[in-house]
Amino acid sequence: MTNRLTLILLLLANLAGTSAVAETSLRHTPNWSEADALAAIGSVDTAAETAKLNQLAGSGDSAALLEKAAAIHENDQWPAPAREFVLFNLARSLADFPPGQIDTEVPAYLASLPVDVRIVHPDHPGFAVPMFNVAAAATGAAVEWERQAASLEASELIRYGQQGWLDAYIQATPVQRNGFRRSVATYADPELTGLAELALDQAEAHPGLAVIATMAGLRLGNSWLFTRSLTWNEDAGLAEMLRLSREVFQPKDLQKVLVNAVQLAPTSTASLVIAELAPTLLDQPRVEDLMFELLGDRDLGASAALALSQSQATRVRSRLATVAGEDSGIAARRAGLALSSTGGAR
């Protein structure tokens, strides 16, 4: 279980990271068919050029690699699809090398290249997408290098003190923070506990630190850390962390997570916690009562109604019917909507 959680946390660490998005320009029309482009690639020896580029990259000879990439881009004896195919493979492979082995000028050059081969957009016929988005792949490699470098820095910083680690995290870019979070998943339990507790102590002033405690709570099976962190954690990966918490914590602990979030967390976070946890906890009287109490709440009532709508328990449906028939207030209307839902337990 611990190994599985570590792997999942490594994935969660990436959720808020910067990634290169493939260009889907609707400003251009296609200038190649996919079949013709593939035929053009096959008309020249792309394998030999790819092998040369890989050899130069592996040797770390950035100057020669940059020169070779430029020569391929400017080779007008080759059709455009073949040139972009080779350079795309190079750009994509750069992320496999450790940061510092290849100069950043290489991905910067590749990221500056225009798109020459556009094929039909799969969802918008008549518009185009790049067949080989060299620029996006190169940008992605540069981002991965920054992320890896930050992860290595974090692993070194934690050896010298938790406060220095947190100070560096606060100052880091979003990509670098992603690397720091990757590093967190590998720390020993006492080290991680101390870091998470210190992060919580400073989360009111620096809410971005709260996600460290959330991840630590999951890795350590520490529901106290996890619960407290939700007061400040509004990270993009929170929904996935909440889903994972259902596998990590016992129902009695999840009830505390839910109640605490309703009482202390921002509305957006509390709504998310209700959506992810409440439907599977409605067999607990405290949770059922809380959801009914919230039906009249301006901010959380709709989330509570949605959670209740997913129960097919006779007791819950009967209570909803009673509330719905009481008056025409907001709680009654929400109870009626919950009843009208087809529901279905998760």
Side-chain angles (χ1 to χ4, degrees):
M1 182 66 170
T2 300
N3 289 338
R4 178 173 174 272
L5 286 176
T6 299
L7 289 173
I8 292 175
L9 288 177
L10 285 169
L11 294 174
L12 289 173
N14 294 330
L15 290 176
T18 302
S19 60
V21 178
E23 178 189 345
T24 56
S25 174
L26 300 183
R27 296 171 299 170
H28 302 275
T29 56
N31 59 358
W32 283 83
S33 73
E34 187 171 356
D36 287 345
L38 290 173
I41 293 169
S43 69
V44 294
D45 189 3
T46 58
E49 294 302 296
T50 297
K52 292 176 184 176
L53 288 170
N54 289 340
Q55 183 179 17
L56 291 171
S59 70
D61 190 344
S62 299
L65 180 61
L66 185 59
E67 183 179 353
K68 182 64 176 174
I72 290 172
H73 173 65
E74 295 166 6
N75 181 4
D76 57 9
Q77 301 301 308
W78 272 24
R83 297 194 299 269
E84 290 196 347
F85 172 71
V86 172
L87 293 177
F88 176 76
N89 284 333
L90 169 62
R92 193 168 53 174
S93 73
L94 292 177
D96 296 332
F97 295 97
Q101 178 168 325
I102 298 171
D103 195 277
T104 55
E105 288 185 5
V106 175
Y109 168 74
L110 294 172
S112 72
L113 297 180
V115 175
D116 291 326
V117 180
R118 300 178 186 277
I119 59 175
V120 173
H121 192 292
D123 299 317
H124 302 279
F127 296 104
V129 290
M131 186 170 185
F132 302 108
N133 200 328
V134 179
T139 300
V143 166
E144 180 59 22
W145 286 350
E146 184 181 2
R147 186 182 292 124
Q148 288 181 25
S151 183
L152 292 171
E153 179 189 1
S155 296
E156 186 68 18
L157 282 171
I158 197 65
R159 297 170 53 195
Y160 297 100
Q162 295 156 352
Q163 187 58 58
W165 192 102
L166 293 175
D167 290 341
Y169 183 85
I170 291 169
Q171 298 298 321
T173 67
V175 172
Q176 291 166 345
R177 286 189 175 191
N178 183 267
F180 271 63
R181 290 194 296 272
R182 280 191 183 185
S183 179
V184 162
T186 67
Y187 296 166
D189 290 0
E191 200 170 48
L192 182 55
T193 300
L195 182 67
E197 290 176 348
L198 191 58
L200 282 179
D201 290 342
Q202 301 171 42
E204 185 172 4
H206 302 286
L209 295 177
V211 67
I212 304 301
T214 311
M215 293 178 65
L218 288 172
R219 227 289 301 281
L220 299 167
N222 187 322
S223 61
W224 179 83
L225 284 175
F226 186 85
T227 301
R228 279 199 62 199
S229 73
L230 298 185
T231 303
W232 301 282
N233 183 3
E234 296 185 82
D235 190 87
L238 182 56
E240 190 60 39
M241 293 178 183
L242 288 166
R243 293 182 197 115
L244 180 58
S245 74
R246 301 200 299 253
E247 300 182 33
V248 176
F249 302 126
Q250 295 297 316
K252 61 182 178 61
D253 294 319
L254 292 174
Q255 180 187 123
K256 294 176 183 177
V257 172
L258 175 61
V259 172
N260 186 81
V262 168
Q263 294 175 343
L264 299 176
T267 298
S268 58
T269 300
S271 296
L272 187 59
V273 174
I274 290 171
E276 294 296 340
L277 300 186
T280 61
L281 299 174
L282 287 174
D283 58 337
Q284 298 185 29
R286 178 68 185 95
V287 174
E288 180 186 321
D289 290 344
L290 177 60
M291 292 302 103
F292 276 95
E293 291 168 11
L294 289 175
L295 282 177
D297 186 271
R298 182 190 64 183
D299 297 320
L300 299 177
S303 298
L306 181 61
L308 289 167
S309 75
Q310 297 180 58
S311 173
Q312 292 301 306
T314 302
R315 179 190 65 260
V316 173
R317 308 301 283 184
S318 177
R319 287 187 70 176
L320 284 170
T322 298
V323 175
E326 284 179 347
D327 54 50
S328 58
I330 188 171
R333 292 198 299 273
R334 285 170 172 165
L337 289 172
L339 275 174
S340 67
S341 170
T342 56
R346 283 191 175 188

